[in-house]
Amino acid sequence: MKRWLLLAIVLAVAGLLPLALDPRGYWIRVLTFTLLFAAMAQAWNIIGGLANQTSLGHAAFFGIGAYTSTILLLKFSISPWLGMLAGGVFGGLAALVIAIPTMRLQGHYFALATLAFGEVMRVIANVWASLTGGPAGISVPFSPPSIAGYSFKLLLPHTYIAIAALVITTVIFEWIQRGAMGYRLRAIKENPSAAEVIGIDTTRVKLQAAVISGALMAMLGTLYAQVAVFFDPDTVFSAAGISIRVALIAILGGIGTAIGPILGAFFIIPLEELMNEWLSSSAAGLSQLVFGLILIAVILWRPHGFITVLRSLRAKFTKGAAR
Amino acid sequence: MTILDVHGVSRRFGGLQALSDVTFSVPKGQIIGLIGPNGAGKTTFFSTLVGLIKPDKGSILLDGEPVVGLKPHKIARLGMTKTFQNVALFGESSVLDNVLTAGLLRHDVDAAREEALKCLDRVGLRSIAHQQAGILSFPERARVELARALCTGPKVLLLDEVMAALNPVEMQEVMDLIRSLRDDGITLLVVEHHMRAIMAICDRILVLNFGKLLADGTPEQIANDPQVVEAYLGKSMEKRA
Amino acid sequence: MAFIQAVIDGLLIGGVYAVISIGLTLVYGVMGIINFAQAEFLMVGMLVAWFAWAFLGLDPVLAAPLSFAVAFVIGWFVQGQLISRVLKAPSVAQIFLTVGLLIVIENSALLAFGSQFRSVTTWYQTMSLSLGPLFVSVPYLIAFAMSLACGVLLWWFMRASWFGRAMRATAQNPAAAQLMGIDSALMYRIAFALGVGLTAFGGAVILPYVTVYPGVGGQYVVLMFTVVVLGGLGSVAGAVVGGLAVGVIQALSALVFPIQLQNLVLFLVFIMVLAVKPQGLVGASR
């Protein structure tokens, strides 16, 4: 009961917060991207946290989604909503292509293959200029504002779409974690042989997780495209800016937990923005360096993420209350 | 009616011939013991039956279906599964979740939970259903693993030393459990080192040595087989008798 | 004719790829972890050599041992303080520790030295020897020769020296090796430091024909991983075979595809190897 109440409060705050911010301001943009990255990290969490398969190339799916919907809109005037679904299909297919040869191998192979795949997609997008616009990037064509056309005058609707995206990806995550698939994934993680012997098709289950994760990530690419309006291969297929960042967010917050990506995003993205503000370009790389150090520190001392810090804090408080 | 038909199964690992032309048949509803010295190939044989290892030669028919080359989850679905000698529970999960996961083979989550509770009842561990599996004692974990294997709804259940580290009372409980499983229509192959238990519950005993099937007969026949006595039973049999 | 030229170029460059990648496979073979930051040490090696050239007038090829030494020291510290703590941790932790290391190294270089591109000029830069209708580029040849020398030294070290044999023993069976008095922690440190040192050495050696900037490691990541997977993760001989193969594949694909698509070809090779024979051409010890 208490949990549902807490959830309702959070959603209410989340729903009202954007309205409190200056609609043309800087912070609402930060909030929107924070929500988007939280959703992206949640999508990664499905394969990285639940299926325990570390992907270092989720940008591949992200970029596929962003380019699919934008190209469909540009060349065939297809609504970005449909484009998003198409992107999801391509993202899922791409995940299959990567996962089928690599999933039966040790975890490192999947990480390598996804890293390479992300890089390759970036190169293809840069080279295939006739389709993607090449390194010069691509612009989402202007449409008159309408919901059906996924076009808005203000940033605010995008913020609410991002909230919805985060809620949906989190719901999907929870549904997987609590359902039959969650049990199977946990079994596979602990002892793949035993899991097989009791009837779990380990390959199939892991592939399912990969496809869901890839498809979601691709659909979020469309969200990004519609907000950013302009993007290029080096941005959406970026290993550091997308792939590693979403994994980092999930890990910092608490890998394999529903709230981890949310905590991680709300810590990292605003912090990054603040650091970029204070430091300006004279210290290029400093914010990234700091995050690299934080990542190392977390891996060494709090591998289960911030959420463990929160849990121990909560344990302290409830113990105190009981007295 | 033959439920398990093994013919000419052989398997080599590098320089070691782990299994050599193993051949036997099992009628439905029997309890078959599998004994032999350490390193004889008993666990390897179980792994081969469930598909974790692929034999170099030979065939295995489960209720008429050939299973060589199938992945373990398919063989589990066809009705054969095993317990692990060193116990392979999912330590981070609860006892109930461990067994429930096996139930997912044939049921959805809620029905699997019901089945899991029934299986835990069967092995007498209902009371610890919500404890974390990893912190239990070895005999308890072995029992949970038995419940888990049971929850897949097998026709043939392979038990690998489930009576290790048990006191006589516990051993009797497990022996009664095995008999009751047989009464429910499950065929069991049991690897065990406790000779008294094997002799007491098994309809038939297979003796494995250096990967070869040395003998195949009733407990009386095995106890009196000079080859078996020399290779394995030795004087300990006389002492126990 | 262009075909043979490409093969020659490919073999020369491939020899260097082998030296660059050996470290990656060595670390995996001895410790079982993939160092995702390996390519960053390439950048470190290149930077050290560049500064030696800029301030001391040293030819990069002569500075290569210095690059090796600097990377060795950094690797020694990194292994002792960081990597050793995750050797028994789940692969997620291992992967992201080295990813964190990647981020730290690259951005430290960015911060300390700026994002500009740096290159050297050597007296032999545009020279080439002619073999009939074929050309052998002198920078490539020198790089290959250095790599060969390095490879021979490494081979001697692994086969004949006590340390080398101790490392191989640790790779095959750490427990047994310890029982024989081999300090596995020390072995891991040597293996890691040696591994990154070799990659840095390779970096210095290619500086005459490659431009260095903080992000240059990223260009070689896919390549290095393709080399070791093709050869077989964990096999040093495999890294040699893989390096030569990748060099030739790259040179041949340049005849057909624009240069940016070379990584695509490598990636396809990589995926095919994983799908068909993940142990690689030579096969791994793990």
Side-chain angles (χ1 to χ4, degrees), chain B residues 117-133:
Chain B
L117 288 168
K118 281 194 207 143
C119 290
L120 284 173
D121 266 328
R122 209 63 201 278
V123 304
L125 289 182
R126 181 71 133 89
S127 53
I128 60 166
H130 297 289
Q131 282 193 28
Q132 193 194 341

Side-chain angles (χ1 to χ4, degrees), chain C residues 13-69:
Chain C
I13 299 178
V16 186
Y17 289 163
V19 165
I20 289 174
S21 313
I22 277 181
L24 191 58
T25 215
L26 187 67
V27 168
Y28 183 80
V30 175
M31 291 158 51
I33 70 164
I34 293 191
N35 179 17
F36 282 88
Q38 191 83 16
E40 295 307 310
F41 288 92
L42 184 79
M43 184 265 297
V44 167
M46 290 174 85
L47 264 185
V48 168
W50 188 89
F51 278 106
W53 173 82
F55 291 103
L56 300 174
L58 263 183
D59 186 288
V61 156
L62 294 174
L66 182 60
S67 290
F68 175 90

Side-chain angles (χ1 to χ4, degrees), chain C residues 25-145:
Chain C
T25 215
L26 187 67
V27 168
Y28 183 80
V30 175
M31 291 158 51
I33 70 164
I34 293 191
N35 179 17
F36 282 88
Q38 191 83 16
E40 295 307 310
F41 288 92
L42 184 79
M43 184 265 297
V44 167
M46 290 174 85
L47 264 185
V48 168
W50 188 89
F51 278 106
W53 173 82
F55 291 103
L56 300 174
L58 263 183
D59 186 288
V61 156
L62 294 174
L66 182 60
S67 290
F68 175 90
V70 170
F72 189 93
V73 167
I74 298 177
W76 189 265
F77 170 76
V78 164
Q79 156 60 18
Q81 298 307 316
L82 304 176
I83 311 272
S84 58
R85 293 184 212 262
V86 295
L87 284 181
K88 293 205 168 43
S91 63
V92 175
Q94 293 175 345
I95 290 171
F96 280 98
L97 184 70
T98 57
V99 167
L101 189 62
L102 187 170
I103 297 175
V104 168
I105 295 179
E106 188 164 322
N107 286 285
S108 298
L110 180 61
L111 224 68
F113 306 116
S115 61
Q116 58 262 46
F117 289 64
R118 294 179 169 89
S119 56
V120 303
T121 45
T122 57
W123 55 272
Y124 52 82
Q125 199 140 9
T126 48
M127 281 170 63
S128 63
L129 307 172
S130 33
L131 257 100
L134 301 167
F135 290 99
V136 174
S137 149
V138 169
Y140 284 2
L141 188 62
I142 294 181
F144 181 81

Side-chain angles (χ1 to χ4, degrees), chain A residues 179-180 183-184 186-187 190-191 193-203, chain B residues 71-73 76 81-82 84 88 90-92 97 100-101 104-105 109 113 152:
Chain A
Y183 284 100
R184 294 184 174 121
R186 278 188 292 280
E190 289 233 44
N191 195 324
S193 300
E196 273 279 334
V197 165
I198 60 171
I200 296 174
D201 187 344
T202 54
T203 308
Chain B
K71 286 187 83 178
H73 70 264
T81 187
K82 76 161 194 162
F84 288 76
F90 310 127
E92 298 279 313
D97 284 350
L100 196 164
T101 306
L104 291 173
L105 177 58
V109 177
R113 187 172 291 120
T152 62

Side-chain angles (χ1 to χ4, degrees), chain C:
Chain C
M1 200 38 51
F3 178 84
I4 301 182
Q5 180 69 58
V7 170
I8 291 178
D9 287 339
L11 286 174
L12 291 179
I13 299 178
V16 186
Y17 289 163
V19 165
I20 289 174
S21 313
I22 277 181
L24 191 58
T25 215
L26 187 67
V27 168
Y28 183 80
V30 175
M31 291 158 51
I33 70 164
I34 293 191
N35 179 17
F36 282 88
Q38 191 83 16
E40 295 307 310
F41 288 92
L42 184 79
M43 184 265 297
V44 167
M46 290 174 85
L47 264 185
V48 168
W50 188 89
F51 278 106
W53 173 82
F55 291 103
L56 300 174
L58 263 183
D59 186 288
V61 156
L62 294 174
L66 182 60
S67 290
F68 175 90
V70 170
F72 189 93
V73 167
I74 298 177
W76 189 265
F77 170 76
V78 164
Q79 156 60 18
Q81 298 307 316
L82 304 176
I83 311 272
S84 58
R85 293 184 212 262
V86 295
L87 284 181
K88 293 205 168 43
S91 63
V92 175
Q94 293 175 345
I95 290 171
F96 280 98
L97 184 70
T98 57
V99 167
L101 189 62
L102 187 170
I103 297 175
V104 168
I105 295 179
E106 188 164 322
N107 286 285
S108 298
L110 180 61
L111 224 68
F113 306 116
S115 61
Q116 58 262 46
F117 289 64
R118 294 179 169 89
S119 56
V120 303
T121 45
T122 57
W123 55 272
Y124 52 82
Q125 199 140 9
T126 48
M127 281 170 63
S128 63
L129 307 172
S130 33
L131 257 100
L134 301 167
F135 290 99
V136 174
S137 149
V138 169
Y140 284 2
L141 188 62
I142 294 181
F144 181 81
M146 289 294 286
S147 303
L148 190 63
C150 184
V152 168
L153 268 175
L154 180 67
W155 182 85
W156 172 83
F157 177 78
M158 296 297 280
R159 291 272 142 185
S161 81
W162 183 88
F163 279 112
R165 281 182 284 143
M167 263 209 307
R168 279 172 26 228
T170 307
Q172 284 176 26
N173 194 330
Q178 277 206 307
L179 287 174
M180 291 195 276
I182 296 174
D183 180 354
S184 55
L186 180 63
M187 288 304 121
Y188 293 151
R189 277 185 109 145
I190 294 177
F192 190 84
L194 183 62
V196 298
L198 289 169
T199 301
F201 182 95
V205 152
I206 63 174
L207 189 58
Y209 56 87
V210 176
T211 309
V212 59
Y213 61 101
V216 72
Q219 286 194 335
Y220 284 84
V221 166
V222 174
L223 190 143
M224 285 169 67
F225 288 140
T226 306
V227 166
V228 300
V229 167
L230 187 56
L233 256 181
S235 161
V236 171
V240 173
V241 170
L244 293 172
V246 165
V248 171
I249 293 172
Q250 203 182 40
L252 288 177
S253 66
L255 293 178
V256 183
F257 298 112
I259 203 157
Q260 307 98 308
L261 282 184
Q262 277 166 27
N263 266 2
L264 175 61
V265 174
L266 288 179
F267 173 70
L268 288 174
V269 169
F270 177 74
I271 280 291
M272 280 198 301
V273 171
L274 285 188
V276 172
K277 193 167 192 257
Q279 321 90 288
L281 295 173
V282 177
S285 54
R286 262 180 192 264

